[in-house]
Amino acid sequence: MSALAANYLGDIAAALDAPRPQVLACFIGRELAKGRTKTDIARSLGKSTPWVAQHAALLSLPAPIAKAVQQGRTADVTLINELAKAYRADPLRVTAWLKYADHSITREAVRLLREQAEPGTPTKKEGVGGRPFKRRPMLYVTHGRKKGCIILNRLPGETGWVWVRYDQDGREVEVPVSEVKLIGLST
């Protein structure tokens, strides 16, 4: 085996053993820059082409998501790409969610965020500065020591109560409005 081939195989082994997806993404980016195809890279790594494509997408993450990954809040490549899709649909909402949510990022939490970030029909209610909301607004709150958001499309059982979805585990609970504190708004 030539020294070049041994070095290349060493790079592949190091990338596959790396605990962080960014290391794999950098390796894949270098190989793509050399003119190799994703299919060829996938074959040499023993992975699928979509797997390589998901890792390659990490090279162009929006800044707030890249920061969350660098902080170690998640290393799940599928989840990171789902978060990037939500960001493309509603960058302000995702940026606020990442800023106000100090929890670990789970697939369930990102699924719920994507549901909220999908473009919807404009509401007739007035939004910020007298402009109508283009999407349903999100009210970020704390309830005790937990952070979450008020579920605006679910009516509580009685006056003075609201439904809250916790960021940490996606659990939904009905609580007295007097026990929640507003910490942010995104539209």
Side-chain angles (χ1 to χ4, degrees):
M1 181 183 319
S2 72
L4 181 61
N7 189 28
Y8 175 72
L9 291 174
D11 285 349
I12 291 174
L16 288 173
D17 288 340
R20 295 171 29 155
Q22 300 97 309
V23 175
L24 274 165
C26 289
F27 171 78
I28 290 167
R30 282 193 312 271
E31 295 303 306
L32 290 170
K34 292 176 187 175
R36 294 186 66 201
T37 65
K38 290 177 184 169
T39 302
D40 184 38
I41 297 167
R43 270 192 223 115
S44 65
L45 294 175
K47 301 289 184 180
S48 68
T49 303
W51 185 92
V52 170
Q54 276 198 322
H55 281 78
L58 299 180
L59 296 171
S60 58
L61 288 176
I65 298 170
K67 182 179 177 183
V69 172
Q70 288 169 351
Q71 291 172 338
R73 293 176 65 191
T74 184
D76 181 331
V77 177
T78 301
L79 186 145
I80 295 166
N81 283 302
E82 289 297 309
L83 195 54
K85 288 177 189 173
Y87 184 89
R88 286 191 294 277
D90 192 344
L92 293 175
R93 183 181 304 268
V94 174
T95 301
W97 186 80
L98 287 168
K99 180 179 178 181
Y100 292 111
D102 58 0
H103 55 80
S104 62
I105 301 168
T106 64
R107 287 188 181 196
E108 177 63 15
V110 171
R111 183 189 65 76
L112 295 171
L113 177 65
R114 278 201 66 200
E115 285 178 7
Q116 295 166 346
E118 295 298 321
T121 25
T123 65
K124 295 180 182 176
K125 296 183 179 181
E126 291 298 308
V128 179
R131 296 170 300 179
F133 288 122
K134 292 184 180 176
R135 293 181 177 83
R136 183 176 313 229
M138 283 187 64
L139 297 173
Y140 296 98
V141 297
T142 57
H143 177 240
R145 293 185 172 188
K146 296 180 180 179
K147 291 185 178 183
C149 61
I150 293 179
I151 304 171
L152 296 172
N153 61 346
R154 184 181 296 170
L155 292 175
E158 59 185 276
T159 303
W161 288 66
V162 293
W163 281 95
V164 173
R165 179 179 298 125
Y166 293 130
D167 292 339
Q168 187 172 5
D169 56 11
R171 201 165 43 100
E172 298 175 353
V173 295
E174 190 175 16
V175 299
V177 73
S178 60
E179 293 180 9
V180 298
K181 178 182 174 188
L182 181 66
I183 60 172
L185 166 72
S186 73
T187 58

